Amino acid sequence: MRIGILSFAHLHAEGYQAHLKNMPGVELVGFSHENAEEARHFAHEYGLKWFPRHQDLLAEGLDGVIVCSENARHLELVELAAQAGCHVLCEKPIETSLADALAMRAACEANGVGFMTAFPMRFAPSVQAVRSAIQEGRLGRILGVNGINHSEIPRAHRAWFAERELAGGGAAMDHIVHLADLLRWYFDAEVTEVYAELDNLFYPGEVDVDTAGLLLVSLSNGVRASIDCSWSRPTWYPRWGHLKMEVVGEGGTMVLDAFAQHLTLYARHGSHPVSWVGFGPDPNRAMLGEFIASIREHRQPSVTWNDGFQALRVALAAYESSESCSVVVL
């Protein structure tokens, strides 16, 4: 199985390459990246072959690619991959507009290739345990869900995350899609209404995108949920952030902390922890395994283009709601 990474712009590319190297029967052919200085660093750091043009990597006869460019450049790379007959695993949000997301689906369908959205949290055992409890009725009728996805501002890792033209927005675009997808997956239901308040509370004057947001959403099964998304963690935070959910039912409550399995690492001097070293399973590895399996088995992946599209609809509706100060009906 020959796999390539289209662009190293997204920081997740670094983790993906490590997993792919250790997956049986998978050959990581290399990566393409247009910024030569950055590419030479990544090639040296990870021992990867660098292709200056995306077309050069796609000409290597790949079975699949992982699109890790800036959000606004996903469509371009998905179209190139589809035309080369390569199955696609695409970072989320899958694009910055619904029109471009629809064009991605059209390109994949026209060329007979599969499309998987990179939603790794579906593959976390803790997340799966919550879904099982909901679907088996162990919590009774669900009264509501509170979702939290916070992190530090990602610009120290990749500056484009805080650039509206490339990212499509700020913290809301970055974080809403994860929780929106889990809500849809938990209940096999669609988000029907969105009310949101977004603002740049944490870095006014430094960035021109939102850094905090709070959403109230309704699902087609009647469940209501909140999504608290922000870049509120300090830059010295021991990891990028966290994902938490509280599911409240008539028969009980479950609280999810998806990254709770960690050890705290301190330096000899300094007042803050150096890092939280995780020891739990990495859902990214299982997600990549599903992508590889879907190609080998000639089937659609368990997380599809539509999952990415529906989550994007929620994120874009949040921006519309915040601007209009009204509920947006989907």
Side-chain angles (χ1 to χ4, degrees):
M1 183 71 62
R2 291 168 60 81
I3 302 295
I5 299 177
L6 294 179
S7 178
F8 247 61
H10 200 294
L11 57 92
H12 286 170
E14 299 178 36
Y16 294 157
Q17 64 84 29
H19 286 306
L20 289 168
K21 286 177 180 176
N22 293 306
M23 296 184 74
V26 173
E27 177 188 358
L28 178 55
V29 176
F31 74 101
S32 56
H33 197 74
E34 294 177 337
N35 184 303
E37 182 179 355
E38 292 176 349
R40 291 190 185 97
H41 165 74
F42 294 132
H44 175 74
E45 180 77 11
Y46 301 113
L48 298 174
K49 184 176 181 180
W50 166 47
F51 295 81
R53 299 191 319 140
H54 304 301
Q55 294 89 337
D56 295 336
L57 175 57
L58 291 167
E60 292 291 308
L62 307 177
D63 297 292
V65 295
I66 307 175
V67 174
C68 293
S69 66
E70 302 88 344
N71 298 339
R73 293 175 176 166
H74 286 173
L75 172 59
E76 172 193 353
L77 300 190
V78 169
E79 288 182 330
L80 287 174
Q83 291 163 9
C86 294
H87 298 280
V88 175
L89 172 61
C90 184
E91 268 297 339
K92 70 284 154 203
I94 58 172
E95 250 297 344
T96 58
S97 74
L98 297 183
D100 284 350
L102 288 166
M104 297 164 77
R105 179 182 65 175
C108 290
E109 289 181 347
N111 291 278
V113 301
F115 184 104
M116 180 175 179
T117 303
F119 280 138
M121 298 316 300
R122 287 201 189 193
F123 299 89
S126 56
V127 171
Q128 293 172 347
V130 174
R131 183 175 189 259
S132 295
I134 292 171
Q135 299 224 328
E136 293 169 9
R138 284 185 273 139
L139 301 181
R141 185 174 69 90
I142 303 301
L143 303 176
V145 182
N146 296 315
I148 299 173
N149 195 355
H150 294 165
S151 76
E152 64 179 87
I153 188 169
R155 61 181 176 176
H157 306 284
R158 299 290 196 274
W160 66 265
F161 273 95
E163 297 176 16
R164 187 180 302 275
E165 183 178 352
L166 294 175
M173 186 64 86
D174 191 21
H175 288 324
I176 288 173
V177 290
H178 279 290
L179 290 170
D181 179 65
L182 292 185
L183 289 171
R184 293 181 60 250
W185 189 55
Y186 279 172
F187 299 105
D188 294 323
E190 298 295 348
V191 175
T192 57
E193 294 182 344
V194 177
Y195 177 77
E197 294 193 8
L198 311 178
D199 206 342
N200 183 6
L201 297 179
F202 299 107
Y203 295 92
E206 294 186 43
V207 297
D208 67 346
V209 294
D210 54 285
T211 56
L214 183 62
L215 283 68
L216 297 176
V217 304
S218 299
L219 281 82
S220 55
N221 64 345
V223 172
R224 301 200 174 191
S226 66
I227 296 177
D228 181 354
C229 55
S230 80
W231 289 338
S232 57
R233 304 298 92 182
T235 54
W236 49 261
Y237 204 59
R239 64 166 176 246
W240 69 269
H242 52 241
L243 186 145
K244 299 179 180 181
M245 299 183 82
E246 181 184 40
V247 183
V248 181
E250 288 184 330
T253 297
M254 290 192 76
V255 178
L256 164 72
D257 183 351
F259 299 103
Q261 292 176 297
H262 66 264
L263 301 174
T264 302
L265 178 64
Y266 291 92
R268 290 184 178 276
H269 305 287
S271 57
H272 304 301
V274 174
S275 67
W276 286 332
V277 182
F279 58 84
D282 187 343
N284 285 301
R285 181 177 178 82
M287 179 187 72
L288 291 172
E290 166 63 10
F291 177 56
I292 298 301
S294 71
I295 298 174
R296 284 182 174 147
E297 297 167 11
H298 306 288
R299 60 171 174 82
Q300 285 293 315
S302 60
V303 189
T304 65
W305 168 88
N306 185 59
D307 294 315
F309 181 73
Q310 297 300 335
L312 175 61
R313 289 183 71 205
V314 178
L316 293 177
Y319 284 98
E320 182 182 347
S321 173
S322 182
E323 290 174 4
S324 64
C325 298
S326 63
V327 174
V328 171
V329 178
L330 296 177

